Amino acid sequence: MRRVIRMGYHSLEAVKRVLRTGMGHCQGRGCLRLIARLIQEETGIPASEQKLPRPRPPLKPLPLGLLGAFEDEERSSKDQVRING
Amino acid sequence: MRSTADVVVIGAGVIGAATGYYLAKRGLKVLVLERDFPCSGSTGRCIGGIRAQFSHDLTIRVMMESVRMFRGLSDELGEDVEWYSGGYLFLAFDEKRKQAFSDAIAIQMRYGLDVRFVLPDECEKIAPGLDPTGLIGGAYCPTDGQANPFKVTYGYLEGIKRMGGGLVAGCEVKQVNRVGDKVVSVTDAKGHDYACNMVLNAAGCWADEVGAMAGVKVPVTADRHESLVTEAVERVFNPMLVDYRSDGCYFVQHSGTGHFIGCYTPVPLVPGHDVEVTEEFITEMPRRMVRLVPKLAGVKVLRQWAGSYEMSPDGNPLCGETSVRGFYVSSGMSGHGFMFGPALGRLMAEQMVDGRASIPLDEFFLSRSFGKAEAMK
Ligand SMILES: Cc1cc2nc3c(=O)[nH]c(=O)nc-3n(C[C@H](O)[C@H](O)[C@H](O)COP(=O)(O)OP(=O)(O)OC[C@H]3O[C@@H](n4cnc5c(N)ncnc54)[C@H](O)[C@@H]3O)c2cc1C
Ligand code: FES
């Protein structure tokens, strides 16, 4: 991350476009503050003045079947794929 | 303040980055000017699909060249662009669609594309877990694939820098200046001038605004497309699945990470630059995905977002020199700008340097009259 910031990517949005930071399971809720601090250390731009990437739904990860309101229990329960650890 | 370059490229999406790279390779000094940061436009919102299955001759030829270039792109750029040849499977649920695919396949085969119409049982083999209800077959090309739009764009931009060119982020072009009918420079929002011989308008869905700065009409309109990504799961299948029904969708599993990523084209279309997301999409898209592949029901959605397609009147790119000498455009990719990137970038560089591309681009020229629309949008 420090290498990318030193390449000239000086905002959370710009770093996100290179490294996909904040695009995983926590959706940035945990990690973005830490990344803002790294940017502050490397560039001097105070973390409190850095613009956060636009939050996007869902607030927490939700299953496709639930969002798509599948009522057919059998269809959505049998033979499901395994989640990567 | 004043800088000089041979070519000023406006926009650091995949089109500006790729074209700039091949111009730099021809020995020109290239400066890419970007209003925000690289990939802040449509390129950073794209789902990374690459295919040669189209209905328009020139599009098929250019995309076949792009696929060829994607195969060698990691070596060319010294950056793993995550090219993966997982294929594309277009699904037909009625005779009319089947006919349209068969017609397109006949054209594609003339150019030597490895493509065929497959029956439902083979569709299920290609995409295990696909529910074949109502399916009458599909158009399948195993050499289509996917790559990472960020890696590709940054790879090209770093290449431009290595060859002595540059990227200026946070630089909004406000004026395109000419003397007589010839472009001479551009001016940014801070009043900085960039003198040059040629300007490339690669401003994506804002190419109309940039064109207007030189008095050139670029008939590009923005259409909103929403998208979502799921958590990473075990490998389910390789191809991009495309369901063209009015309540269909298209999605693919990322080859490296295992995330599913996909979108659909809303009916009716949603014109404008607004990239807000909707509740309709985050309930409709899962419904459509699980209908096609029921065993995905338990897979969780991480995020939804939206971006713009930069649409041209006929769904084909708008390229070439404009009525202002030295002022070029490459936009109007109509949902396919990422996959067009490598080949169209190189061909446009040839067009700009040699006055003619090795695959002639006349049918994409801005000056054409707009006829038949692309059937495999
Ligand atoms: C949800 C979604 C999914 C997609 N999926 C695919 C896919 O699978 N495969 C595919 O091939 N394509 C796909 N696309 C389409 C693809 O993303 C676009 O066609 C492509 O990214 C266009 O690239 P571009 O460089 O022309 O435009 P952009 O990436 O939009 O770049 C244009 C740049 O110009 C800058 N700019 C604008 N005005 C100015 C100015 N005045 N001064 C300086 N800079 C300026 C902008 O900030 C922007 O960064 C998808 C698009 C969306 C929205
Ligand atoms: S999104 Fe991965 S740790 Fe925050």
Side-chain angles (χ1 to χ4, degrees):
Chain A
M1 230 173 271
R2 287 187 194 275
R3 183 178 63 87
V4 165
I5 299 167
R6 282 177 202 149
M7 279 163 73
Y9 301 106
H10 289 175
S11 68
L12 289 166
E13 280 278 8
V15 171
K16 165 187 143 187
R17 293 302 198 287
V18 189
L19 295 174
R20 317 306 298 128
T21 37
M23 296 295 103
H25 252 271
C26 95
Q27 282 293 302
R29 284 170 191 94
C31 56
L32 282 178
R33 288 157 170 279
L34 300 172
I35 302 164
R37 237 168 53 206
L38 278 183
I39 295 178
Q40 174 173 339
E41 282 174 28
E42 292 291 331
T43 68
I45 304 167
S48 56
E49 285 170 26
Q50 293 174 33
K51 200 169 145 263
L52 292 173
R54 186 185 326 220
R56 296 287 206 185
L59 264 177
K60 69 187 251 263
L62 291 175
L64 286 164
L66 181 70
L67 286 163
F70 268 85
E71 278 140 33
D72 187 343
E73 270 299 311
E74 211 192 317
R75 193 184 165 103
S76 53
S77 62
K78 70 165 199 249
D79 186 29
Q80 288 294 304
V81 305
R82 223 167 357 100
I83 312 303
N84 279 355
Chain B
M1 282 270 286
R2 199 166 168 82
S3 318
T4 57
D6 295 316
V7 190
V8 161
V9 174
I10 304 171
V14 66
I15 297 295
T19 317
Y21 176 87
Y22 294 105
L23 285 165
K25 256 193 129 173
R26 296 294 301 267
L28 301 190
K29 185 179 173 203
V30 175
L31 261 187
V32 182
L33 309 183
E34 166 55 49
R35 178 174 56 199
D36 294 326
F37 46 84
C39 297
S40 58
S42 301
T43 301
R45 299 155 197 280
C46 147
I47 66 168
I50 297 157
R51 60 171 157 116
Q53 294 191 74
F54 282 88
S55 69
H56 186 273
D57 290 74
L58 182 54
T59 305
I60 296 168
R61 290 182 68 195
V62 174
M63 289 303 188
M64 285 179 72
E65 180 59 14
S66 246
V67 168
R68 199 188 62 75
M69 291 171 76
F70 269 112
R71 279 188 207 123
L73 203 55
S74 296
D75 289 337
E76 168 84 28
L77 298 178
E79 160 92 51
D80 179 8
V81 301
E82 297 168 14
W83 159 256
Y84 175 71
S85 187
Y88 256 67
L89 179 62
F90 288 81
L91 303 170
F93 291 92
D94 60 51
E95 288 298 330
K96 213 172 127 220
R97 187 64 69 185
K98 179 180 174 187
Q99 190 57 48
F101 288 164
S102 304
D103 294 347
I105 287 172
I107 306 170
Q108 293 153 9
M109 284 175 77
R110 256 189 260 146
Y111 297 102
L113 187 66
D114 178 8
V115 59
R116 62 186 193 277
F117 194 83
V118 291
L119 295 174
D121 57 335
E122 197 174 347
C123 291
E124 281 189 79
K125 283 200 195 99
I126 295 164
L130 175 68
D131 182 343
T133 308
L135 190 66
I136 59 175
Y140 177 56
C141 172
T143 55
D144 290 342
Q146 55 173 274
N148 182 324
F150 301 95
K151 296 271 177 83
V152 168
T153 306
Y154 286 101
Y156 277 129
L157 290 171
E158 289 303 315
I160 293 173
K161 292 182 198 163
R162 274 198 305 276
M163 290 184 281
L167 161 73
V168 189
C171 170
E172 181 173 11
V173 172
K174 283 288 194 189
Q175 279 168 243
V176 176
N177 309 306
R178 51 193 211 179
V179 170
D181 71 342
K182 165 87 179 67
V183 77
V184 293
S185 66
V186 306
T187 308
D188 72 10
K190 295 172 191 140
H192 192 109
D193 275 333
Y194 300 85
C196 55
N197 286 323
M198 291 189 276
V199 172
L200 174 67
N201 172 1
C205 62
W206 300 276
D208 55 338
E209 294 170 15
V210 170
M213 294 175 195
V216 171
K217 189 168 185 299
V218 180
V220 164
T221 51
D223 264 350
R224 183 177 69 193
H225 274 69
E226 294 187 64
S227 193
L228 64 73
V229 62
T230 71
E231 64 189 335
V233 296
E234 65 175 325
R235 176 144 293 280
V236 180
F237 50 71
N238 301 324
M240 174 89 77
L241 284 187
V242 184
D243 172 359
Y244 270 147
R245 288 176 293 186
S246 60
D247 64 345
C249 61
Y250 34 102
F251 59 97
V252 67
Q253 187 173 21
H254 187 283
S255 66
T257 58
H259 300 275
F260 274 93
I261 170 169
C263 18
Y264 63 71
T265 300
V267 184
L269 294 172
V270 184
H273 289 282
D274 175 28
V275 289
E276 259 318 315
V277 296
T278 66
E279 199 184 309
E280 180 185 339
F281 179 81
I282 208 180
T283 48
E284 255 314 288
M285 183 68 190
R287 185 184 75 78
R288 297 177 187 192
M289 288 173 76
V290 175
R291 179 177 62 166
L292 277 185
V293 185
K295 68 175 177 181
L296 295 184
V299 179
K300 289 179 181 146
V301 176
L302 291 185
R303 186 179 183 82
Q304 68 173 139
W305 70 93
S308 300
Y309 273 21
E310 61 292 347
M311 301 303 295
S312 74
D314 59 6
N316 291 322
L318 302 167
C319 288
E321 197 168 20
T322 65
S323 51
V324 175
R325 259 195 311 139
F327 184 47
Y328 291 79
V329 64
S330 191
S331 177
M333 303 299 157
S334 306
H336 311 122
F338 175 57
M339 55 182 107
F340 265 124
L344 203 52
R346 205 196 70 218
L347 294 166
M348 268 300 288
E350 293 170 4
Q351 183 71 38
M352 292 170 74
V353 176
D354 307 327
R356 190 179 161 77
S358 51
I359 300 175
L361 295 175
D362 304 43
E363 289 166 53
F364 290 167
F365 282 171
L366 182 62
S367 54
R368 70 178 178 270
S369 56
F370 299 104
K372 202 160 143 246
E374 170 59 51
M376 297 186 72
K377 276 190 186 164

